[in-house]
């Protein structure tokens, strides 16, 4: 029995754990949070990733909790309506096939599949990893020491596993020219299963009534910031100040949202960025999900990459007994899919967040055309990978 330690219990971690334990590996998952975090912002599962969750038997459960947003209203700088659209028309996703669920609902579903088969160490983290050539000796923050055949870093965009084994984040972090703040506000607008997005050049504010929740909204402020605000990344006050400066004088409900931001206790601030690495494994440490190839929220494909990456990594380890060769195979199969999806956005050129007045006019004209064209073709990148059949019964 080969043993694997997975760091991170969000999407990529439990998905990798599921497939590896089905293939006969002994799996331990370490997660620094005290439990799997629920709720939160909505994420998409599209194209090939839908097939992955179907093979896991999770699709019926996800269909029950999908957010099922009915419409997406775009507003111009003066707050006037630009277009009201079917959300699928904008995301390039397929109605009746692709899913949108809360991130926490997917994480909880994945955890539920493996909680009884896999050892979970919540509230702990890896402190050191020493590679031995045939495995890795791991020391946990809690003080325990264990040896594993393989360590999988599924610990997200700001992965410590990556930092420890591959080098500092700035070597792999590709800033895309936007920052965002996400927080919860009371639903004083009577919104239900809908998203409203206000845009001005270089600025966007969105209110999202997710699923059945009628009491709260996810508020989302995105702004163009040509230089990465490195100093603000770990400083809450600097983040709030930066957002306030970026939206000074903005219209619609933005002043109300800025006041709410000041008092928000769940503020999540980050840059829109990608992780780009020449290789995803080094010795007996391998990365999966955002840790290896975050495509940024601008693509809406992070979760799908994490699910497909988990499947292909476990498939390669099951099919090829030599771990080093298996890790090469994982990368070989996964790389084109990652490249196609990371190419969906460029610096400062995200479709939903135009930075100049001209680009905003053009974007609005495109949205208005979509009103009379409700079923655009799905994006080829969402399905640009073959899923091999797993040896284990799915
Ligand atoms: C605002 C926002 C909107 C998004 N919208 C979409 C969308 O519409 N569609 C989409 O597909 N994707 C979206 N994403 C991206 C999506 O959330 C991620 O791509 C996806 O969650 C990746 O999963 P992951 O498991 O690789 O990483 P994460 O979800 O980041 O999970 C990492 C896990 O590792 C844990 N961890 C971190 N450090 C350690 C450590 N040192 N030790 C142990 N555990 C650790 C964390 O607590 C966490 O549980 C969005 C992201 C954001 C921030």
């Amino acid at each position: 029995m080969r043993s694997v330690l997975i760091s991170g219990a969000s999407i990529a971690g439990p998905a990798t754990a599921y497939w590896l334990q089905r293939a006969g590996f002994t799996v331990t998952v370490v997660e620094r949070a005290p439990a799997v975090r629920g709720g939160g912002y909505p994420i998409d599962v599209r194209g090939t990733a839908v097939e992955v969750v179907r093979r896991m038997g999770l699709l019926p459960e996800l269909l029950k909790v999908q957010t099922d947003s009915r419409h997406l209203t775009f507003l111009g700088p003066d707050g006037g309506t630009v277009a009201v659209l079917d959300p699928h028309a904008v995301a390039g996703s397929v109605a009746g096939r692709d899913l949108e669920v809360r991130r926490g609902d997917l994480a909880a579903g994945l955890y539920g599949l493996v909680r009884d088969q896999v050892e979970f160490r919540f509230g702990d983290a890896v402190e050191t990893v020493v590679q031995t050539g045939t495995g890795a000796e791991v020391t946990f923050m809690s003080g325990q020491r264990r040896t594993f055949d393989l360590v999988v870093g599924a610990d997200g965009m700001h992965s410590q596993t990556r930092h420890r084994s591959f080098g500092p984040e700035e070597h792999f972090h590709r800033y895309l020219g936007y920052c965002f703040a996400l927080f919860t506000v009371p639903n004083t607008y009577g919104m239900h299963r809908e998203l409203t997005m206000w845009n001005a050049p270089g600025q966007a504010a969105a209110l999202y009534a997710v699923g059945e929740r009628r009491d709260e909204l996810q508020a989302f402020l995105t702004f163009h910031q040509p230089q990465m605000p490195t100093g603000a990344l770990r400083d809450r006050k600097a983040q709030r100040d930066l957002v306030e400066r970026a939206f000074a004088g903005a219209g619609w409900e933005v002043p109300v949202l800025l006041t709410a931001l000041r008092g928000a206790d769940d503020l999540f601030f980050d840059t829109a960025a990608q992780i780009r690495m020449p290789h995803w494994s080094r010795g007996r440490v391998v990365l999966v999900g955002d840790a290896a190839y975050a495509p940024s929220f601008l693509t809406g494909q992070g979760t799908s990459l994490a699910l497909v990456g988990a499947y292909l990594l476990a498939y390669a380890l099951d099919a090829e007994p030599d771990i080093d060769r298996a890790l090469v195979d994982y990368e070989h199969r996964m790389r084109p899919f990652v490249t196609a999806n990371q190419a969906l956005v460029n610096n400062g050129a995200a479709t939903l967040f135009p930075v100049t007045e001209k680009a905003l006019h053009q974007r609005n004209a495109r949205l208005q055309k979509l009103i009379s064209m409700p079923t655009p073709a799905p994006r080829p990148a969402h399905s640009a990978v073959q899923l091999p059949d797993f040896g284990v019964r799915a």
Side-chain angles (χ1 to χ4, degrees):
M1 292 264 269
R2 291 182 291 173
S3 60
V4 177
L5 173 70
I6 299 172
S7 178
S10 172
I11 309 297
T16 307
Y18 173 84
W19 289 110
L20 285 179
Q21 65 83 25
R22 294 292 305 257
F25 286 74
T26 304
V27 181
T28 302
V29 180
V30 60
E31 163 61 52
R32 72 176 171 193
V36 171
R37 279 171 302 156
Y41 55 82
I43 48 95
D44 301 284
V45 179
R46 302 181 186 133
T48 310
V50 178
E51 177 59 14
V52 173
V53 292
R54 192 193 67 74
R55 291 185 189 188
M56 298 174 97
L58 199 56
L59 193 52
E61 193 179 320
L62 294 181
L63 285 169
K64 278 190 214 142
V65 294
Q66 64 180 324
T67 57
D68 193 20
S69 294
R70 307 283 156 77
H71 52 264
L72 206 167
T73 305
F74 286 93
L75 307 176
D78 61 359
T81 302
V82 170
V84 180
L85 291 164
D86 175 342
H88 289 288
V90 181
S93 54
V94 181
R97 191 195 69 186
D98 294 344
L99 300 164
E100 186 186 75
V101 295
R102 283 173 173 261
R103 194 203 60 81
D105 287 345
L106 176 57
L110 293 166
Y111 173 60
L113 290 180
V114 287
R115 61 187 301 169
D116 297 331
Q117 284 82 31
V118 165
E119 175 196 356
F120 277 86
R121 299 171 67 99
F122 285 106
D124 201 356
V126 172
E127 187 165 68
T128 60
V129 175
V130 178
Q131 300 228 23
T132 60
T134 55
E137 286 172 8
V138 174
T139 307
F140 292 93
M141 295 287 183
S142 55
Q144 208 190 22
R145 279 188 190 184
R146 302 255 297 264
T147 301
F148 298 90
D149 292 312
L150 182 68
V151 173
V152 179
D155 44 356
M157 177 95 179
H158 306 296
S159 166
Q160 283 300 310
T161 310
R162 187 185 60 233
H163 184 98
R164 209 180 292 110
S165 295
F166 298 81
E169 183 167 315
E170 51 267 32
H171 291 181
F172 312 111
H173 184 274
R174 183 164 175 267
Y175 179 58
L176 293 172
Y178 296 90
C179 297
F180 67 89
L182 183 70
F183 50 102
T184 308
V185 296
N187 185 0
T188 51
Y189 301 86
M191 290 173 66
H192 182 53
R193 290 194 190 278
E194 61 182 307
L195 169 64
T196 299
M197 184 182 291
W198 169 91
N199 281 97
Q203 300 170 322
L207 285 173
Y208 205 158
V210 183
E212 260 313 310
R213 291 299 295 251
R214 288 177 185 266
D215 54 338
E216 64 175 36
L217 301 172
Q218 299 284 312
F220 191 58
L221 294 170
T222 311
F223 56 98
H224 181 51
Q225 169 81 21
Q227 297 301 321
M228 190 162 90
T230 312
L233 292 181
R234 277 170 203 82
D235 180 343
R236 272 275 179 269
K237 181 173 178 319
Q239 292 169 4
R240 289 187 160 103
D241 290 347
L242 184 67
V243 178
E244 286 202 344
R245 274 201 307 281
F247 283 91
W252 187 55
E253 293 293 321
V254 174
V256 177
L257 295 180
L258 291 177
T259 304
L261 171 80
R262 280 272 157 215
D265 57 10
D266 64 345
L267 171 63
F268 181 68
F269 177 95
D270 209 340
T271 58
Q274 296 185 335
I275 295 297
R276 294 194 174 196
M277 303 181 73
H279 294 291
W280 299 322
S281 64
R282 181 162 283 177
R284 291 305 173 89
V285 177
V286 62
L287 303 175
V288 65
D290 271 9
Y293 30 74
S296 93
F297 80 89
L298 299 172
T299 67
Q301 278 292 92
T303 304
S304 294
L305 291 187
L307 289 166
V308 172
Y311 183 95
L312 291 179
L313 173 59
Y315 170 81
L317 287 164
D318 179 51
E320 169 56 68
D322 182 295
I323 291 182
D324 300 320
R325 281 211 291 269
L327 298 181
V328 173
D329 180 62
Y330 156 60
E331 194 159 322
H332 177 73
R333 289 175 189 273
M334 188 64 189
R335 177 72 69 181
F337 187 46
V338 169
T339 305
N341 283 286
Q342 290 195 326
L344 292 173
V345 286
N346 279 314
N347 194 324
T351 321
L352 286 182
F353 309 111
V355 299
T356 64
E357 209 157 316
K358 186 175 167 207
L360 182 57
H361 277 302
Q362 289 169 340
R363 196 281 312 254
N364 288 347
R366 283 200 302 277
L367 290 177
Q368 280 160 350
K369 274 194 201 142
L370 285 178
I371 297 172
S372 54
M373 197 179 64
T375 48
R379 303 224 164 102
H382 296 174
S383 302
V385 63
Q386 287 290 324
L387 284 187
D389 277 334
F390 225 92
V392 293
R393 213 167 61 78

